[in-house]
Amino acid sequence: MAVNQTCKGCSADVWVTEAQIQKLLAGMEGKGFSFVSETVYQTRLAVCRTCPSLVYGTTCSHCGCLVEVSGKLAGKKCPHPAGSKWEKAEQASASAKS
């Protein structure tokens, strides 16, 4: 029996495909999670995609969360040490609409 003796943190497992992310999101449907609106979700993803703390194209280096998943959850907040970038973007978006 082969045993994986590589460090998980150093393996290719940190790379998550779009299909895996979509499977995670689909698995969350109907399980009691509260999600943000599509507009808020897209705003959050846009912020994350321009953030220098995004690693591997999917993961926040501050919390280790997949941004496509955490950005969808209503109870999550951007963990940036300088303050929530999501909150700033959402406030700017709301101000632009009013």
Side-chain angles (χ1 to χ4, degrees):
M1 175 181 203
V3 176
N4 183 1
Q5 296 184 13
T6 60
C7 172
K8 184 176 181 180
C10 301
S11 71
D13 292 339
V14 297
W15 295 98
V16 182
T17 66
E18 180 63 27
Q20 290 172 312
I21 291 169
Q22 292 307 316
K23 186 176 179 180
L24 282 170
L25 291 172
M28 295 168 65
E29 296 287 337
K31 296 200 174 161
F33 292 100
S34 294
F35 300 118
V36 296
S37 69
E38 185 63 21
T39 301
V40 170
Y41 179 57
Q42 292 303 323
T43 299
R44 288 180 173 185
L45 289 183
V47 169
C48 292
R49 288 181 181 134
T50 60
C51 182
S53 302
L54 182 67
V55 292
Y56 311 115
T58 56
T59 307
C60 174
S61 64
H62 297 295
C63 66
C65 295
L66 296 171
V67 298
E68 286 85 355
V69 175
S70 61
K72 190 90 172 164
L73 296 171
K76 285 287 193 176
K77 300 202 180 294
C78 167
H80 196 279
S84 173
K85 290 185 169 191
W86 291 350
E87 189 174 342
K88 292 174 188 171
E90 289 166 15
Q91 288 172 350
S93 178
S95 293
K97 290 180 182 175
S98 58

